[in-house]
Amino acid sequence: MVLLSTFVAVCGSFQFGCALGFSSPTQSAIRNELGLSLYEYSVFASILTIGAMVGALMCGSLADYTGRKGAMRIAAIFCLTGWVATGVSKDAWILDLGRLSVGYGIGVFSYVVPVYIAEVAPKDLRGGLGTMNQLMVGFGISTVYLLGTILTWRTLTLTGIIPSLMLQLGLILIPESPRWLAKVGKQSECELALQRLRGKDANISKEAADIEKATIVQDSIKIIDSLPQAKPLDLFQRKYVYPLTVGVGLISLQQFGGMNAISFYASETFVSAGFSSTVGTILLAVMQVPASSIGALLMDSYGRRPLLMISATGTCIGCLFTAISFVLKDLDQSEKISPILALSGILVFETSVALGMGGIPYIIMSEIFPINVRGSAGSLVSFTHWFGSWVITITYSSLMSWSKSGTFFIYTGVCGATVLFAAKLVPETKGRTLEEIQASIEHSSP
């Protein structure tokens, strides 16, 4: 049941990846058919992040009030509506509204999917199952990159429509998060959900007791009602400074290291480097899933922090290669080497992102915050993700016009800072229950 629950949840991750990758292979076709200017297409591409910011601001409260399944169901409705609107659009404003709606949905998915997986998975499988989120994001990107070379852009919207429908059907079959049920005082339903997840013959008494203790849940609803309700400002108490710094810091470094900008404008970057955009896009698509799969296999054996440091080091090297390729091109030297070096740099960067930097920050975010502030914290971290994504994608073309090599040198510096940040501040969470992780963080907080 845990595997089925994870599979259903990551249908949202798959369309997350499809949405991220959609604007790259479809740029020429959409602009030609609808007569869009470069600016109008840039609005279409970047408006996804505006919708995602709105979804991020609401996702914590939505998941707390309607449950993890309820939030996924609402997100899927927005995504389905948006993909259909995009596929049938005849005008730019309908195209943009559809993209905005998809953005809202994936903004919610970006928080609720990793949190749901973390809350239903046993501790020994939580890291590996958590990386399924990033694996399916990468698979979604690969799918639209590959199919975008052979399908029309309207047909390509089916890559978002089909998983939305699958998610809605799958949610009927899987249980709600036991930890959310405990939080809202439904202890008996919590134990039933936990038994379904662990198997009918499994002994869940210790895990159920740990959840009950951590969420301060008793049999009487009065005790739950008497607890102070967490408010967004409660996040800024001294005891939450450390997890907040780790969660927001990792997501900020992830985005300002160029992750979404390079994904959104991969084709344009290949052309700027003098390489075939079609060949480059196909190569990107081919490497996404194997790299994410390796990350999933290593997560629970190797650990979050070492894998994060290796991944961030890879992104740093990839950006450095790309920056050097543009320096050589500007100097009119090594015309044959420069495009290959740029391709190698982008492939190293994207492979490294898929290996860990793309998904680990969200896995850690889902693990380090206590249940009473997890919704508010998740909203803040998700908003930071999408705000950073908006800033980095809206400025990418301007930065590249200013200096192509300079742009990638900036990204190199940020990726290098990420390695140091991970080494000094990020806690190791593998092999521990959520309750053990949070107790450890509370003990180490100033």
Side-chain angles (χ1 to χ4, degrees):
M1 182 56 73
V2 170
L3 295 178
L4 176 62
S5 299
T6 300
F7 173 78
V8 171
V10 296
C11 286
S13 306
F14 177 79
Q15 57 184 302
F16 183 167
C18 291
L20 291 181
F22 185 79
S23 61
S24 182
T26 59
Q27 180 172 344
S28 298
I30 291 178
R31 287 187 62 194
N32 291 338
E33 183 173 334
L34 299 184
L36 302 185
S37 66
L38 180 59
Y39 172 76
E40 288 174 321
Y41 190 80
S42 296
V43 170
F44 165 71
S46 62
I47 204 171
L48 180 84
T49 59
I50 303 296
M53 277 191 273
V54 177
L57 285 173
M58 298 176 63
C59 65
S61 298
L62 195 64
D64 282 346
Y65 287 118
T66 67
R68 309 328 189 197
K69 285 176 59 178
M72 285 190 281
R73 184 172 287 112
I74 292 169
I77 291 171
F78 272 89
C79 284
L80 179 61
T81 303
W83 283 113
V84 170
T86 301
V88 302
S89 60
K90 301 292 185 182
D91 300 296
W93 68 272
I94 298 178
L95 191 74
D96 290 344
L97 279 179
R99 184 80 164 164
L100 189 69
S101 182
V102 172
Y104 177 87
I106 67 172
V108 175
F109 279 135
S110 66
Y111 162 73
V112 75
V113 171
V115 166
Y116 176 79
I117 293 172
E119 291 182 349
V120 302
K123 65 179 182 179
D124 295 334
L125 296 177
R126 193 177 61 244
L129 291 178
T131 57
M132 290 297 295
N133 177 48
Q134 181 59 27
L135 175 64
M136 292 303 287
V137 171
F139 187 47
I141 294 172
S142 297
T143 299
V144 294
Y145 278 176
L146 287 173
L147 294 182
T149 62
I150 57 175
L151 298 178
T152 67
W153 67 271
R154 294 187 188 277
T155 305
L156 196 61
T157 59
L158 288 172
T159 58
I161 292 171
I162 293 172
S164 293
L165 295 173
M166 290 175 61
L167 182 60
Q168 291 286 12
L169 293 174
L171 286 171
I172 299 171
L173 304 175
I174 64 175
E176 180 56 89
S177 160
R179 288 174 170 85
W180 179 79
L181 291 169
K183 180 190 173 187
V184 297
K186 299 180 179 180
Q187 188 63 19
S188 60
E189 293 180 37
C190 164
E191 293 177 5
L192 287 173
L194 195 59
Q195 193 72 68
R196 285 185 65 193
L197 288 163
R198 301 294 179 260
K200 64 179 181 179
D201 298 323
N203 185 352
I204 62 165
S205 56
K206 185 180 185 303
E207 188 174 3
D210 287 343
I211 293 172
E212 183 177 4
K213 180 181 178 182
T215 52
I216 324 175
V217 173
Q218 305 294 333
D219 291 334
S220 172
I221 297 299
K222 282 185 178 180
I223 296 176
I224 293 295
D225 290 339
S226 69
L227 288 173
Q229 297 299 306
K231 301 179 180 64
L233 289 178
D234 291 344
L235 272 177
F236 300 98
Q237 296 177 33
R238 188 176 180 182
K239 61 183 176 180
Y240 300 129
V241 168
Y242 174 54
L244 200 61
T245 300
V246 172
V248 173
L250 269 182
I251 289 294
S252 299
L253 290 166
Q254 177 202 63
Q255 288 306 309
F256 288 101
M259 187 180 81
N260 278 359
I262 294 171
S263 295
F264 275 36
Y265 296 103
S267 295
E268 180 183 320
T269 305
F270 285 130
V271 172
S272 298
F275 199 85
S276 167
S277 62
T278 301
V279 174
T281 299
I282 291 173
L283 289 173
L284 274 181
V286 169
M287 66 80 203
Q288 285 275 350
V289 174
S292 296
S293 300
I294 293 170
L297 292 173
L298 295 177
M299 181 68 62
D300 281 315
S301 58
Y302 205 64
R304 278 67 152 161
R305 185 167 60 184
L307 198 58
L308 185 66
M309 292 172 63
I310 291 171
S311 175
T313 301
T315 61
C316 184
I317 293 170
C319 286
L320 182 61
F321 281 4
T322 309
I324 292 171
S325 76
F326 283 120
V327 170
L328 294 175
K329 186 178 180 184
D330 290 340
L331 295 174
D332 292 326
Q333 296 182 11
S334 304
E335 292 183 3
K336 293 182 179 179
I337 296 176
S338 179
I340 299 298
L341 192 59
L343 174 68
S344 300
I346 293 172
L347 289 178
V348 168
F349 178 88
E350 291 288 1
T351 301
S352 300
V353 167
L355 184 66
M357 196 61 207
I360 291 177
Y362 263 101
I363 292 174
I364 291 174
M365 179 275 293
S366 69
E367 294 173 329
I368 61 177
F369 291 108
I371 188 74
N372 63 309
V373 295
R374 194 170 294 156
S376 299
S379 288
L380 178 60
V381 172
S382 296
F383 177 79
T384 302
H385 171 111
W386 290 110
F387 178 75
S389 178
W390 174 73
V391 170
I392 208 71
T393 53
I394 207 73
T395 58
Y396 183 77
S397 295
S398 298
L399 283 172
M400 290 289 280
S401 297
W402 161 68
S403 172
K404 295 179 178 64
S405 60
T407 299
F408 279 90
F409 277 128
I410 291 171
Y411 294 160
T412 300
V414 176
C415 293
T418 306
V419 180
L420 298 177
F421 184 90
K424 295 294 184 181
L425 289 175
V426 175
E428 182 53 72
T429 59
K430 75 163 185 172
R432 294 192 286 174
T433 66
L434 296 182
E435 292 70 34
E436 289 169 346
I437 293 166
Q438 288 139 28
S440 173
I441 287 175
E442 287 176 10
H443 180 72
S444 62
S445 295

